[in-house]
Amino acid sequence: MPKINIVIDGHSLQAEEGTYILQAAKEVGIEIPTLCYYPHMVPYAACRICAVEARNERGWTKVVTACNYPVWEGLHVHTNTPRVLNARRMNLELLLSQSKPVPVLQKLADDLGITEPRWGYGTDTCIKCGLCVRICDEVVGAHALAFGNRGVDREITTPFHLESEDCILCGACARYCPTGHIKMTDIEGRILHSELLLGPNAAITIPFRQAVPNVPRIHTNQCIHMKTGGCMLCAKVCPKECIHFDDQDEFEEFDVGAVIVATGFQDFDPTPMLQFGYGKYPNVISAIEFEQMNSAGSPTGGKIVMENGKEPRSIAILHCIGSRDQNYHKYCSRVCCMYALKFAHLVTEKTSAEIYQLYIDMRSFGKGYEEFYQRILDEGVHVIRGKGAEVVPTKHKRADEGDLLVRCEDTLISKFREIPVDMVILCTALEARKDASDIARKLNISMGADGWFIEAHPKLAPVSTTTDGVFLAGVCQGAKDIPDTVAQAGAAAAQAMKLMSKGEIMMDAAYAVIREEFCSGCKICNDLCPYTAISYDELKKISTVNSALCKACGTCVAACPSGAIVARHFTDEQIYAQIEGILA
Amino acid sequence: MSISKLTSPDDLLRLKEQLVKERDNGRTILSVCGGTGCLACGCKGVVSALKAALKESRLEEEVELKITGCPGFCERGPLVVVYPEGIFYQKVKPADAKLIVDQTIKGGHVVNKLIYKDPLTKQGIIHEKDIPFYRKQMRLLLGMNNFLDPTSIHDFIVLGGYRSMAKALSAMTAEAIVEEIKKSGLRGRGGGGFLTGKKWASCRKSKGDPKYVICNADEGDPGAFMDRALLEGNPHLVIEGMVIGAYAIGCEEGFVYVRNEYPLAVKNLMIAIDQARDYGLLGKNILGTGFDFDLQVSRGGGAFVCGESTALMASLEGKIGEPRAKYIHTVDAGLWEKPSTLNNVETWANVPLIIDKGANWYSQIGTAGSKGTKIFALTGKVNNTGLVEVPMGITLREILYDIGGGVPGKKAFKAVQTGGPSGGTLIVETSEPDIHESLVAHGDVREDEEALNLLDLPVDFDELTKAGSMMGSGGMIVMDQDSCMVDVARYFINFLQEESCGKCIPCREGLRTMLQILNRICEGKGEMKDIDTLEEMSQVMIDTSLCQLGGSAPNPVLSTLRYFRQEYLAHIVDKRCPAGTCKELVSHTIDETCTGCHVCLEPCPTDAITGKLKELHVIDQSKCIQCGACYQVCRFDSIQRVKRGAGEAVQVKAKALWKPPQKKTAQQTAAVA
């Protein structure tokens, strides 16, 4: 791009051909006020607030709008001559005669020294800057908004003043409206807790603060570009050009020497436990949902509120939902007691709500855990020994105490209790992932009845599996908290490192081999091998043994109808010889 | 007659010669104006009556009845001219048809009651060419309208139509045409007055492809209708101009953007385009020269702002008709961001003339800076309203008195407004001391000059701009002493604020606020600081408006402030409307000259006037709404417009002085008659 020499307020600078005064001025730090300008759209030049005076050497002078006046060689720009300031002031006063002094206009007025507009203030909040129309048109591509009428009756409207079918509810118009004239109304009238992770309609978010990798993700079902083919603003603003809309999922193959399985767990879905009313009563939420709401990045800004936006007066935290339950999971999820206590602590910090903990046994087994439990007790949390039995709507007479009624048996005082609360948090079980069995099959590792992977030995090989080179880390092996997970992961990593640092593995001398000349290719051995060490060679039409995988168990040797497989160092001749040796 | 495509310039020549030969039979031609003005006056009835009369006299074969476009003299419609003699009949009614056929065609006599009488000399004028309205004009474009039926391409070809196009396409290079237009000094007739040749040259040089030519027929100025008259009366001329322009610029596609309120223009244009296509004068390989060009008609919704070039292009593209900044010119990025040349109907119509007769001939007409002729729509308080085509540089005096025939009644000329709603109002002549003073203060008149006399102002682009108005598209509204200049400014500002697209703040909110201030002044609630505010606001609007609608919108206010500041002051300080039209500031009252004729009683909408026949009438001030209906009808100038509140006093005085009317004097009889 050829460079062009221009002068702005006495600053000489070089600008690229085709740039507008506004951009050139910005580069030398000269701010020109704007109202209807937005960098990623064609300049509209309707507000005329960015008026500047253009001059040339020969004394020609003209007031132009900085946002769309292209620079040319020898252009002199003056951004604050009396003529320009007067024009800005007059135009803003004219605008204010119709508009409320919304913050953006008030700030401009203050900057321009307007204390009392000559024609007073109007009542409108729409300043007809057209940002919404243009964003919908040029960026979003939904074309759901337009200008209606003409002249003084100009207005922003949807076609025929009706709810537009072309609107994709992206919220861009409201986001870019400088005066707050356009607002998004939640049609359902409530915030859905399950969507709290997202901004109301943001299509591009970082899934959560601590996400790894910590990069934004595009939600294809909300992305404007995916809907209309327009927008692509994120790609335009990304300085590193990281956003590619046409990227597809890819499968990649790696050669590796060791595998660490850290597939984690899934949250137990309490919906089937009808007694707790999850999914039925909006203020019955799961622990993870509470955690999300409590995060500072949530739509509630970390405030603890009910679905109607009010702060709850009382909260019941129900332990062991799906854990230690004969009908669901018999095991203890190990983490719930402590996070439930943490919740109680957070709620007392943020609100003045009464808190009820309903537990079976308080399992505060770790280092410092018991002390934390004591602290919670000191904070005045009601800790009731007795599992929550059911959650029902509060009956008429106690309705003012809370909308929900938690029923339980307080086993310490042997009494049946009904506690009215505003919100119920269910401490749901950790459970094995639904697809854990796929992993188990792929890696040839064993899985218990509860779905957790089984280690090679509970005491002596807690991170190894029955398959060499495959190690376990974290909750996929069984419910555990973060310290335990980190410790186990460290151990698994060390095991893997051990293999890798050697660069080679020592193999057992004993393994099975197939004598090619005898193999008929019947494939019986293929399915029998518990270590998936035998595969069929389509070319030679025979089976072959992967000696690295073979554990020399001998199953195939015994099963081969042709006697083609022999276990090295355990051949028939050797066995017979041994027998003969013993007998001799 | 079967149509064969003309495949060479010689074909066209042969067709013309053949047609001339066919028609050279000395037949009488009855030419009836079929323009919109005469249609409104009932020319359709006249045509059918003439047809019936001819049929009755068995003259259908001998006499050709031609329905033509508008020759411009709309004040006197429906018009009928008998050729070859050129006998001019005006205000013809269907009942007169038989008279014309019997007396003029059969008998060779003139029907005296239908001929035109000069309002100044009261003399009857028989022949069209002797009528002063026409005589002073130079009707290069409109002159053809009398002789051709706009729906007949043959009529146009007989008159030499498409000759220039054939010449341009076969014998001239594109560069030569651009040079010729440049040399002619033709300036855009749409309002801007930009040099057409220069525009074409830059569009020709521009790199984009394809390029477009556009004809702006979105004539929106109230009262202006020259583009309509041209499109209705001679559409082929515009088409011919556009083909030449397209060839010179190098484009193959053109658009005519015409407002849908011009149904006849749209119809005639469509017919003309179809005919031109049939004859191979539009479309592929025009006249066998290998040049392709076709035209499309796009009908506009009638928004004033769509006459602005960028708004027009946006509308053509199917978007909202609102302008964009022209920092990048339309010759580089216009319609669909492609190089586009937009010219007004009248500009296009001038092109064939220049090519035909040469730039030298054309540049002899007019003044140094403005060449050729300009059509004005002369309206307002003038005897002969209509379209007048005059050479540039003609004086206002010639237009107003010689062509316009002066002001009706005994009223005095006050001002001329030119250039459409955003033009300016010019004082014509004054020696009144207070106005004179303000003009001296403004530098418009030297102190030693006795009076300002703009009557001898040569009318061209530069002189009008210098005087504080503009050429615009050629509206010319004449005002007499009864026009209040504040009210005039208010009228135009109101028009503009309704027609502003509303995109930019200075135009939308500036006009709104300006109108509020003017309304206040007209209601007698103005303050002195309002004048300063108006001037300041005008400057900001001129500086910062996005397009020329807003940029020129303050003209009505600025020009009236320049020439008629005293009237503003009268409204603000004295709370008085000198012209007596601002309702809130005047009282209508009856003085002692009232004859008690009862004429004013009927039009009064509120029955405020009472009085017995031949007795002094009285206006009940509590009922009067100051509509001025009585003022319009009074034949004795007995209705007085006085300052608000002074009405009662006048009537008290009138009662004391009133004498019953004596026998009618000769003067009164004449007045009644």
Side-chain angles (χ1 to χ4, degrees), chain A residues 16 32 78 80 92 134 155 172 180 185 198 227 254 261 269 318 325 397 402 452 456 466 482 555 563:
Chain A
E16 273 180 17
I32 298 169
H78 299 267
N80 48 12
L92 186 62
R134 288 180 290 137
E155 58 178 353
T185 311
L198 308 170
K227 285 182 186 171
F254 299 97
V261 181
D269 176 13
L318 273 54
D325 189 324
K397 58 179 179 182
W452 306 123
T466 44
I482 295 169
T555 311

Side-chain angles (χ1 to χ4, degrees), chain B residues 113-283:
Chain B
K113 74 166 200 180
L114 293 176
I115 60 169
Y116 173 73
K117 288 187 187 64
D118 191 306
L120 298 176
T121 59
K122 310 278 179 228
Q123 268 183 349
I125 298 166
I126 298 167
H127 292 106
E128 189 184 21
K129 61 180 193 303
D130 300 326
I131 291 171
F133 178 78
Y134 289 130
R135 210 175 52 218
K136 275 275 178 176
Q137 293 188 42
M138 188 185 220
R139 304 170 70 228
L140 300 180
L141 304 176
L142 285 178
M144 267 192 251
N145 277 11
N146 287 31
F147 300 99
L148 56 85
D149 176 352
T151 59
S152 158
I153 193 169
H154 286 175
D155 280 11
F156 186 64
I157 291 174
V158 165
L159 290 172
Y162 290 111
R163 187 171 60 193
S164 311
M165 185 182 97
K167 178 180 168 190
L169 263 52
S170 61
M172 291 174 85
T173 62
E175 288 83 6
I177 297 172
V178 173
E179 269 317 303
E180 196 74 4
I181 300 292
K182 260 190 186 169
K183 222 166 78 187
S184 73
L186 174 66
R187 292 172 71 167
R189 299 291 195 247
F194 193 78
L195 284 164
T196 307
K198 211 171 153 190
K199 193 190 257 186
W200 288 16
S202 3
C203 191
R204 184 175 167 69
K205 254 186 267 159
S206 182
K207 290 215 170 59
D209 185 69
K211 296 173 182 175
Y212 298 105
V213 288
I214 304 164
C215 172
N216 182 353
D218 192 69
E219 194 173 39
D221 294 3
F225 57 103
M226 41 269 164
D227 293 348
R228 189 187 74 196
L230 277 174
L231 269 189
E232 278 176 10
N234 200 351
H236 285 288
L237 188 65
V238 181
I239 296 172
E240 189 182 357
M242 288 187 76
V243 178
I244 296 170
Y247 175 69
I249 292 156
C251 59
E252 297 180 357
E253 209 175 343
F255 294 90
V256 182
Y257 187 87
V258 53
R259 47 177 44 217
N260 207 25
E261 286 98 324
Y262 285 181
L264 187 61
V266 173
K267 190 180 132 208
N268 287 357
L269 180 66
M270 298 276 219
I271 293 171
I273 289 176
D274 284 345
Q275 285 174 341
R277 278 196 198 123
D278 291 343
Y279 278 84
L281 299 165
L282 269 182

Side-chain angles (χ1 to χ4, degrees), chain A residues 267 285-288 290-291 294 304 315-321 323 332-349 353-365 369 372-377 379-384 386 388 423-430 481-482:
Chain A
D267 209 23
I285 61 175
S286 75
I288 191 82
F290 177 82
E291 194 78 77
N294 188 51
I304 297 165
I315 299 176
I317 304 174
L318 273 54
H319 294 223
C320 298
I321 305 300
S323 329
C332 164
S333 288
R334 297 197 11 160
V335 296
C336 325
C337 286
M338 291 318 294
Y339 77 60
L341 293 179
K342 182 192 78 176
F343 286 176
H345 178 66
L346 290 171
V347 172
T348 45
E349 246 180 14
E354 292 282 320
I355 304 158
Y356 300 90
Q357 296 267 2
L358 280 76
Y359 69 97
I360 304 176
D361 296 296
M362 192 56 76
R363 297 193 165 173
S364 49
F365 54 91
Y369 288 8
F372 186 66
Y373 175 35
Q374 281 306 324
R375 187 173 153 197
I376 299 301
L377 291 176
E379 278 174 4
V381 174
H382 307 285
V383 181
I384 300 165
M423 183 188 271
V424 173
I425 303 170
L426 303 177
C427 297
T428 47
L430 310 187
D481 62 1
I482 295 169

Side-chain angles (χ1 to χ4, degrees), chain A residues 224-242:
Chain A
I224 293 164
H225 176 71
M226 304 294 175
K227 285 182 186 171
T228 67
C231 194
M232 305 215 273
L233 262 194
C234 50
K236 281 178 202 154
V237 296
C238 178
K240 303 274 185 193
E241 298 178 4
C242 297

Side-chain angles (χ1 to χ4, degrees), chain B residues 485-599:
Chain B
M485 289 302 125
V486 187
D487 189 49
V488 166
R490 173 169 75 156
Y491 169 82
F492 287 118
I493 295 295
N494 185 36
F495 174 85
L496 289 167
Q497 69 114 24
E498 278 173 10
E499 291 296 339
S500 158
C501 77
K503 179 171 172 178
C504 71
I505 295 173
C507 183
R508 182 183 71 232
E509 303 303 343
L511 284 170
R512 187 207 307 260
T513 312
M514 214 171 227
L515 180 65
Q516 283 167 359
I517 294 174
L518 289 172
N519 275 337
R520 251 196 355 253
I521 293 176
C522 286
E523 284 164 14
K525 293 171 190 156
E527 299 164 32
M528 279 308 285
K529 66 172 190 201
D530 284 342
I531 293 183
D532 296 335
T533 310
L534 282 176
E535 279 174 334
E536 190 192 340
M537 199 186 285
S538 300
Q539 191 52 46
V540 171
M541 285 171 71
I542 291 168
D543 273 351
T544 62
S545 283
L546 194 147
C547 76
Q548 272 310 302
L549 192 150
S552 59
N555 274 352
V557 172
L558 286 180
S559 61
T560 48
L561 268 174
R562 178 169 167 186
Y563 293 107
F564 302 97
R565 186 174 281 259
Q566 290 302 323
E567 271 193 49
Y568 280 84
L569 295 180
H571 282 77
I572 293 170
V573 181
D574 304 346
K575 310 290 176 204
R576 177 175 67 86
C577 175
T581 49
C582 292
K583 281 182 193 171
E584 282 78 6
L585 296 180
V586 303
S587 291
H588 283 76
T589 179
I590 299 173
D591 69 10
E592 68 276 8
T593 58
C594 176
T595 59
C597 70
H598 260 13
V599 167

Side-chain angles (χ1 to χ4, degrees), chain A residues 515-537:
Chain A
R515 289 185 293 182
E516 290 184 6
E517 61 273 30
F518 297 111
C519 178
S520 64
C522 70
K523 295 190 200 172
I524 289 175
C525 54
N526 292 22
D527 294 335
L528 279 176
C529 178
Y531 303 100
T532 57
I534 307 179
S535 56
Y536 184 70
D537 187 336

Side-chain angles (χ1 to χ4, degrees), chain A residues 44-48 63-65 68-70 83 86-87 90-91 94 98 118-119 127-128 150-152 154, chain B residues 303 322 325 327 497-506 508-510 512-513 533 536-537 540 543-546:
Chain A
Y44 193 55
C47 71
R48 320 306 282 178
V63 175
V64 298
T65 40
N68 67 343
Y69 192 80
R83 186 179 175 194
N86 192 37
M90 169 73 81
N91 281 332
L94 286 170
Q98 297 302 315
R118 256 174 283 188
W119 302 284
I127 57 170
K128 281 102 177 167
R150 192 168 64 200
V152 294
R154 188 177 172 89
Chain B
E322 61 185 37
Y327 300 144
Q497 69 114 24
E498 278 173 10
E499 291 296 339
S500 158
C501 77
K503 179 171 172 178
C504 71
I505 295 173
R508 182 183 71 232
E509 303 303 343
R512 187 207 307 260
T513 312
T533 310
E536 190 192 340
M537 199 186 285
V540 171
D543 273 351
T544 62
S545 283
L546 194 147

Side-chain angles (χ1 to χ4, degrees), chain A residues 7-30:
Chain A
V7 181
I8 302 180
D9 286 348
H11 300 270
S12 296
L13 64 137
Q14 287 200 318
E16 273 180 17
E17 192 178 351
T19 49
Y20 300 122
I21 293 176
L22 193 67
Q23 296 148 336
K26 207 169 192 174
E27 270 167 37
V28 287
I30 296 170

